[in-house]
Amino acid sequence: YGIQNAVSAAAPLATGVIALMLELDPSLTPAEVLTILQETARSDAFTGSTPNNTWGYGKLDAKAALDEVNRIVSTEGPDHQAFFVQLSPNPVRNVLKITLPEQDVIRELRLVDVMGRQLTVMTQKTGAGEELDVRQLRPGTYFLHLRSAQGRVVKRFVKQ
């Protein structure tokens, strides 16, 4: 921890945490970002009762904020925009299984890291199920861009 007495010193730190949050979920609204930062800020004997005029809601806790984004952003489930594509297991260690409904086919698949770098491209038609070897990937968050007969989707998965 460190005290930043000016906006010019604190703003880059907060902006960096917000950028990491948006990498995990680009659909977060400004209000959601603010709420997560406020709810995950730490208070202690030094900050006193928060919110206050010196510490605001407390000490910025980047890990807690990112953990909260990961908690509220589903990697699977019918409420997710790409419910017709299932990834398992998620988180994954070695092989990621991609499952689509019967009679659907994968027409294009791209694997992208959180920096936006394209790692893998597959453009041939395959069946409704496919396995992707992810052993070579570093631990972290990745995005699978998939085009099928039912449309285009982006699914997030975590490599352990």
Side-chain angles (χ1 to χ4, degrees):
Y1 292 105
I3 297 175
Q4 303 300 330
N5 291 325
V7 172
S8 62
L13 298 173
T15 301
V17 173
I18 293 168
L20 292 170
M21 293 168 63
L22 292 172
E23 281 181 341
L24 292 175
D25 183 2
S27 70
L28 286 173
T29 67
E32 290 169 327
V33 169
L34 177 62
T35 299
I36 292 168
L37 291 176
Q38 290 173 343
E39 290 177 353
T40 59
R42 291 185 183 197
S43 297
D44 58 22
F46 191 71
T47 64
S49 179
T50 57
N52 63 46
N53 289 335
T54 303
W55 285 94
Y57 280 80
K59 297 176 181 178
L60 178 66
D61 187 334
K63 183 175 182 328
L66 296 175
D67 287 346
E68 179 64 10
V69 173
N70 269 322
R71 187 189 69 75
I72 63 174
V73 175
S74 175
T75 57
E76 295 296 334
D79 59 331
H80 191 273
Q81 67 175 353
F83 67 90
F84 63 88
V85 176
Q86 294 181 359
L87 304 181
S88 64
N90 193 1
V92 61
R93 288 192 189 277
N94 299 318
V95 177
L96 183 67
K97 184 172 180 174
I98 306 161
T99 307
L100 282 75
E102 282 187 41
Q103 300 175 0
D104 197 2
V105 294
I106 297 172
R107 295 185 178 162
E108 180 182 36
L109 181 137
R110 292 185 299 122
L111 177 62
V112 178
D113 67 12
V114 293
M115 300 300 290
R117 293 179 293 230
Q118 190 167 280
L119 305 174
T120 303
V121 179
M122 181 181 72
T123 55
Q124 71 273 11
K125 291 185 179 182
T126 65
E130 183 69 33
E131 291 186 346
L132 187 62
D133 188 343
V134 296
R135 287 172 240 247
Q136 76 284 2
L137 298 178
R138 290 183 173 171
T141 301
Y142 294 87
F143 298 92
L144 200 57
H145 296 250
L146 187 135
R147 185 169 55 90
S148 78
Q150 291 197 27
R152 295 177 185 264
V153 296
V154 178
K155 294 286 280 188
R156 178 175 68 93
F157 72 92
V158 177
K159 166 68 166 80
Q160 292 183 326

